[in-house]
Amino acid sequence: MKLAQLTNYLESLAPLAYQEDYDNSGLIVGRPDQEVNQALISLDCTEAVVDEAIATGCDVIISHHPIVFKGIKNFNSKTYVERVVEKAIRNNIALYAIHTNLDNVMTGVNARICETLGLVNFRVLAPKQGMLKKLVTYVPTAQADQVRNALFHAGAGHIGDYSECSFNAQGTGTFKAGEGSDPYVGEPGIRHHEDEVRIETVYPANLESKILMALVLAHPYEEVAYDLFNLTNQHQQVGSGMIGDLEIAVTEEEFLREVKQNMHAEVIRHTAFTGKQVRKVAVCGGSGGFLLKHAIAAGADIFVTADYKYHEFFDAEGKILIADIGHFESEQFTQQLLYELIQNKFVNFAIRLTKVNTNPVKYFI
Ligand SMILES: [Zn+2]
């Protein structure tokens, strides 16, 4: 299939607009219209992974971490980043990254960690702001349903577990059609009064062009009147980290033993036990230190994450147990997650999980 079919699908699950500012998710090397026959999935895109793609005939590598984060000024094989990009281009292998946009969705990296730890009722720990907008439009009463349906179909009207949300108020619109117009109702040059419904509905900002196109197509007027508003509401389904519950509370020691086993962690660095039972668990794959305040505020008993520095452990202040299980360990099941997501959609497309352990951290035990 065309590479764009694969990447469009992945971006329908984890839109690029959901990635963090510093990130570089998306198509890094390759052309959207190139044919792809087999994908290789990895957490990191290292030289060994590119070599594996060449050896196994894969023409696209889908990794969680982008190989390129910042601008590169030279391509002369000095760094592993340059060498990976050069080798991929020479061998016609596309490189695609699905990073913080996959962290920030309900079916992404953190949901997989929650499932692996046996959590229930999990939700986003730090929902994002600035992701939602509101559309207000004015439609003749007879066409209100058709326009509402088109807007909902294009992705408007979702609030939490509810869909097709809108507010509707009846009123009267006026207009005078000008020269050269072809009004749906009324006569050019004469002010017309029309019974209209004011429809208000919320939508994710990244779907704006799709929603406006649906509005214009479904609306009977030549000129469609609408207003767009930025909202400061949080998007409850998009954001960093997750928090969930254990069905049965356990001691901190018991829970850490389970985390170690389920997350295949060789070692866990943690703060002093607080002596509380563990019931509420916050998680963040990769470097999650910035979420500690959210975890404490949400009443988490433990925060399972990675990349903690010495001084940051002090911030636990006896209120929470911080458990650093390692960056690779926290995100390793992302490979399996991507494999399943692609396989469910493209049943006949060949996918391969990397056999390279890309973890740059080794443990001397
Ligand atoms: Zn990571």
Side-chain angles (χ1 to χ4, degrees):
M1 65 177 156
K2 297 272 188 246
L3 178 56
Q5 275 176 270
L6 182 60
T7 59
N8 287 344
Y9 166 65
L10 291 172
E11 286 162 27
S12 73
L13 304 171
L16 292 178
Y18 292 177
Q19 68 182 306
E20 302 298 333
D21 295 340
Y22 62 82
D23 200 6
N24 188 35
S25 288
L27 187 58
I28 294 172
V29 169
R31 293 189 332 267
D33 65 343
Q34 82 186 70
E35 279 291 326
V36 288
N37 297 298
Q38 190 179 195
L40 181 63
I41 294 171
S42 66
L43 197 67
D44 303 283
C45 187
T46 61
E47 278 184 274
V49 172
V50 180
D51 287 337
E52 184 185 17
I54 296 167
T56 54
C58 291
D59 34 29
V60 53
I61 298 170
I62 297 167
S63 65
H64 180 49
H65 297 132
I67 180 65
V68 179
F69 270 106
K70 298 180 284 210
I72 302 177
K73 291 190 172 175
N74 313 92
F75 288 90
N76 47 27
S77 303
K78 260 197 327 288
T79 66
Y80 79 95
V81 175
E82 292 165 29
R83 290 193 295 275
V84 164
V85 173
E86 289 165 22
K87 197 177 262 191
I89 293 172
R90 272 202 306 272
N91 290 279
N92 204 26
I93 293 170
L95 304 183
Y96 184 82
I98 179 163
H99 187 210
T100 52
N101 50 328
L102 188 63
D103 290 332
N104 287 342
V105 293
M106 290 297 287
T107 50
V109 177
N110 293 311
R112 183 51 60 105
I113 298 173
C114 288
E115 287 160 3
T116 308
L117 295 181
L119 304 183
V120 294
N121 307 326
F122 42 87
R123 60 195 180 280
V124 173
L125 180 60
K128 269 188 182 299
Q129 275 190 322
M131 312 301 289
L132 293 172
K133 293 185 79 172
K134 181 180 254 195
L135 166 74
V136 174
T137 187
Y138 309 85
V139 190
T141 309
Q143 278 80 24
D145 243 342
Q146 136 190 345
V147 170
R148 261 191 302 268
N149 291 344
L151 295 174
F152 295 154
H153 187 72
H158 287 274
I159 301 177
D161 290 333
Y162 292 77
S163 60
E164 306 194 1
C165 302
S166 71
F167 181 79
N168 302 271
Q170 202 72 40
T172 306
T174 70
F175 52 81
K176 181 165 79 179
E179 238 176 84
S181 64
D182 179 18
Y184 170 72
V185 285
E187 295 294 324
I190 300 169
R191 187 193 298 162
H192 177 80
H193 290 72
E194 180 72 19
D195 286 340
E196 292 178 350
V197 181
R198 173 190 160 107
I199 302 173
E200 300 183 22
T201 189
V202 71
Y203 64 93
N206 60 301
L207 295 182
E208 184 160 286
S209 54
K210 189 178 169 197
I211 284 166
L212 290 182
M213 197 180 292
L215 168 66
V216 170
L217 285 174
H219 201 292
Y221 287 176
E222 230 179 344
E223 298 291 347
V224 178
Y226 62 87
D227 313 317
L228 306 176
F229 297 92
N230 290 323
L231 299 181
T232 53
N233 304 46
Q234 292 176 329
H235 192 320
Q236 298 298 331
Q237 268 88 34
V238 179
S240 310
M242 281 198 159
I243 184 161
D245 304 310
L246 283 176
E247 277 179 312
I248 299 163
V250 293
T251 65
E252 292 167 306
E253 199 177 337
E254 278 174 299
F255 188 65
L256 284 190
R257 202 170 295 126
E258 255 175 65
V259 172
K260 192 167 185 288
Q261 191 179 346
N262 295 358
M263 300 302 294
H264 306 168
E266 280 188 61
V267 64
I268 296 179
R269 298 157 70 231
H270 66 91
T271 52
F273 288 155
T274 65
K276 289 187 293 185
Q277 293 275 99
V278 176
R279 158 94 57 185
K280 224 173 235 324
V281 180
V283 308
C284 180
S287 317
F290 66 103
L291 289 172
L292 182 68
K293 281 198 187 88
H294 295 267
I296 293 172
D301 302 305
I302 180 169
F303 183 30
V304 178
T305 186
D307 289 353
Y308 251 83
K309 292 183 189 163
Y310 178 80
H311 291 284
E312 294 169 348
F313 279 104
F314 286 107
D315 297 334
E317 304 247 35
K319 293 179 191 149
I320 193 168
L321 178 64
I322 296 171
D324 180 335
I325 65 170
H327 195 126
F328 179 89
E329 288 76 4
S330 71
E331 296 178 338
Q332 62 193 306
F333 301 113
T334 306
Q335 300 180 155
Q336 189 62 36
L337 169 69
L338 285 167
Y339 187 96
E340 288 165 22
L341 291 173
I342 297 170
Q343 197 181 41
N344 289 345
K345 172 76 176 177
F346 303 107
V347 184
N348 296 318
F349 183 69
I351 328 163
R352 180 183 281 272
L353 283 178
T354 185
K355 293 204 162 54
V356 180
N357 181 332
T358 60
N359 191 357
V361 180
K362 306 295 172 200
Y363 303 98
F364 188 78
I365 295 173

Coordinates of all heavy atoms in Angstrom, one line a residue, residues 43-44 64-65 99 103 109 285-287 307 327-328 330-331, ligand 1:
L43 N 11.1 0.8 19.4 CA 10.9 1.9 20.3 C 11.9 3.1 19.8 O 11.5 4.2 19.8 CB 11.3 1.5 21.7 CG 10.8 2.4 22.8 CD1 9.3 2.4 22.9 CD2 11.4 2.0 24.2
D44 N 13.1 2.7 19.5 CA 14.1 3.7 19.0 C 14.5 3.3 17.6 O 14.5 2.1 17.2 CB 15.3 3.7 19.9 CG 14.9 3.9 21.3 OD1 14.7 5.1 21.7 OD2 14.9 2.9 22.1
H64 N 8.7 4.7 18.2 CA 8.1 5.6 19.1 C 8.9 6.9 19.2 O 8.4 8.0 18.9 CB 8.0 4.9 20.5 CG 7.4 5.7 21.5 ND1 6.2 6.4 21.4 CD2 7.8 6.0 22.8 CE1 5.8 7.0 22.5 NE2 6.8 6.8 23.4
H65 N 10.2 6.8 19.4 CA 11.0 8.0 19.5 C 11.5 8.4 18.1 O 12.0 7.6 17.4 CB 12.3 7.7 20.4 CG 11.9 7.4 21.8 ND1 12.4 6.3 22.5 CD2 11.1 8.0 22.7 CE1 12.0 6.3 23.7 NE2 11.1 7.3 23.9
H99 N 5.3 9.6 18.7 CA 5.9 9.8 20.0 C 4.9 10.4 21.0 O 3.9 9.7 21.4 CB 7.1 10.6 19.8 CG 7.9 10.8 21.1 ND1 8.7 11.9 21.3 CD2 8.1 9.9 22.1 CE1 9.3 11.7 22.5 NE2 9.0 10.6 23.0
D103 N 1.6 9.2 23.3 CA 1.5 9.3 24.8 C 0.2 9.9 25.2 O -0.3 9.6 26.3 CB 2.7 10.2 25.3 CG 4.0 9.6 25.2 OD1 4.1 8.3 25.2 OD2 5.0 10.3 25.0
V109 N 0.4 5.0 24.8 CA 1.5 4.4 25.7 C 1.0 4.2 27.1 O 1.3 3.2 27.7 CB 2.7 5.4 25.6 CG1 3.8 4.9 26.5 CG2 3.1 5.6 24.1
G285 N 4.8 7.0 30.9 CA 5.9 6.4 30.2 C 7.0 7.4 29.9 O 6.7 8.5 29.5
G286 N 8.2 7.0 30.1 CA 9.3 7.9 29.8 C 9.5 8.9 30.9 O 9.2 8.7 32.1
S287 N 10.0 10.1 30.6 CA 10.4 11.1 31.6 C 9.1 11.8 32.1 O 8.6 12.7 31.5 CB 11.3 12.2 30.9 OG 12.2 11.6 30.1
D307 N 13.3 8.2 34.4 CA 14.2 9.4 34.2 C 14.3 10.3 35.4 O 14.5 11.5 35.2 CB 13.9 10.2 32.9 CG 14.2 9.4 31.7 OD1 14.8 8.3 31.8 OD2 13.8 9.9 30.6
H327 N 13.4 4.2 31.5 CA 12.7 4.7 30.3 C 12.2 3.6 29.4 O 11.1 3.5 29.0 CB 13.6 5.8 29.7 CG 12.9 6.7 28.7 ND1 13.0 8.0 28.8 CD2 12.1 6.4 27.6 CE1 12.3 8.6 27.8 NE2 11.7 7.6 27.1
F328 N 13.2 2.8 29.0 CA 12.9 1.8 28.0 C 11.9 0.8 28.6 O 10.9 0.4 27.9 CB 14.2 1.0 27.7 CG 14.0 -0.1 26.7 CD1 14.0 0.1 25.3 CD2 13.7 -1.4 27.1 CE1 13.8 -1.0 24.4 CE2 13.4 -2.5 26.3 CZ 13.5 -2.2 24.9
S330 N 9.6 1.3 30.8 CA 8.2 1.9 30.9 C 7.5 1.9 29.5 O 6.3 1.9 29.5 CB 8.3 3.3 31.5 OG 8.9 4.2 30.6
E331 N 8.3 2.0 28.5 CA 7.7 2.2 27.1 C 7.8 1.0 26.2 O 7.3 1.0 25.1 CB 8.3 3.4 26.4 CG 8.0 4.7 27.2 CD 8.7 5.9 26.5 OE1 9.7 5.7 25.8 OE2 8.3 7.0 26.7
Ligands
ZN1 ZN 10.2 7.7 25.6

